[in-house]
Amino acid sequence: MRLILLGAPGAGKGTQAAILAKELSIPAISTGNILRAAVAGGSELGKQAKACMERGALVSDEIIIGIIRDRLAEPDCANGYILDGVPRTLGQAEALEKNGVVFDRVVSMEISDETIMERMSGRRVCPKCGASYHVAAVPPKQAGVCDECGSALITRKDDAPETVKARLAVYHKETEPLKDFYRSRGVLVPVADQGSVEATSAAILKLLKG
């Protein structure tokens, strides 16, 4: 099962990718993680990515697609994988296809902008150990304090309302058109938000296995 998860920032793609990976016994591959691993490992593409990052430039689609292609060729991906973070644009989707990276299912997580705003405004993270919480859904035992290390929790700049609005605008403009792209290929699976992580996971698995 070769999957990608599409959805707005804050839709829960990373959370669902981890759950689905366990249920389907395939790796969840975060683009950010493999990019960092390629840079740390010093591969040729990793060196090119590092050079871009050091001069403050965006890593080109060509380099990112190359790094993804190499990662998906590794043995643990032989029975499938879940790709999280790419493609984000039509150009990236087309480039993946040209490189022979195709998908069995593309899960589109459907959730309103209003719900996203509510969700992300409640996010809190620990600046020391990286643990994440939500004031309503996954609150720490003591308000504002990390359960793991006792540090004061913070709101990331990415989760500030004005940042979330800007990220949603980019998503609607650049990433949402991918739904039509994958619908035309017959692999799009829209899944409505079910109100909880567990219920949404169950809905996705039902559609994938159905």
Side-chain angles (χ1 to χ4, degrees):
M1 179 77 74
R2 296 163 298 180
L3 294 175
I4 50 175
L5 301 182
L6 287 182
K13 298 184 295 297
T15 300
Q16 293 299 336
I19 293 167
L20 294 172
K22 199 171 178 182
E23 288 286 337
L24 300 171
S25 300
I26 54 178
I29 297 167
S30 155
T31 310
N33 288 346
I34 60 171
L35 187 56
R36 285 187 287 274
V39 169
S43 68
E44 187 53 43
L45 285 167
K47 287 174 186 172
Q48 292 176 36
K50 186 179 181 183
C52 289
M53 291 153 78
E54 284 178 346
R55 63 174 185 268
L58 287 172
V59 179
S60 71
D61 284 357
E62 187 180 354
I63 294 171
I64 288 175
I65 300 303
I67 288 171
I68 290 168
R69 186 190 59 222
D70 290 352
R71 175 66 184 87
L72 299 185
E74 291 181 18
D76 65 331
C77 294
N79 294 322
Y81 48 79
I82 302 165
L83 193 55
D84 176 21
V86 163
R88 290 190 176 179
T89 64
L90 280 172
Q92 288 180 351
E94 289 164 353
L96 283 169
E97 274 197 355
K98 283 178 187 169
N99 278 271
V101 179
V102 293
F103 303 101
D104 300 309
R105 292 285 185 274
V106 175
V107 175
S108 174
M109 297 176 65
E110 305 292 332
I111 183 166
S112 72
D113 285 4
E114 292 75 21
T115 303
I116 294 282
M117 293 294 294
E118 285 172 22
R119 259 189 204 177
M120 295 183 78
S121 65
R123 277 185 179 178
R124 300 291 184 270
V125 295
C126 177
K128 190 172 180 184
C129 73
S132 62
Y133 302 88
H134 189 280
V135 293
V138 192
K141 290 170 186 168
Q142 184 181 341
V145 178
C146 178
D147 293 349
E148 305 296 325
C149 69
S151 298
L153 300 176
I154 61 167
T155 301
R156 294 188 315 167
K157 197 184 292 183
D158 274 2
D159 296 333
E162 60 276 15
T163 309
V164 175
K165 281 180 186 172
R167 291 174 69 196
L168 284 169
V170 170
Y171 167 76
H172 290 307
K173 181 183 176 186
E174 296 187 357
T175 306
E176 204 159 31
L178 289 173
K179 291 200 281 190
D180 285 339
F181 179 86
Y182 287 116
R183 188 179 286 114
S184 72
R185 281 147 178 76
V187 294
L188 188 76
V189 182
V191 177
D193 178 55
Q194 302 295 309
S196 75
V197 169
E198 296 78 12
T200 300
S201 300
I204 293 172
L205 285 164
K206 186 177 179 182
L207 285 166
L208 292 178
K209 293 177 176 179

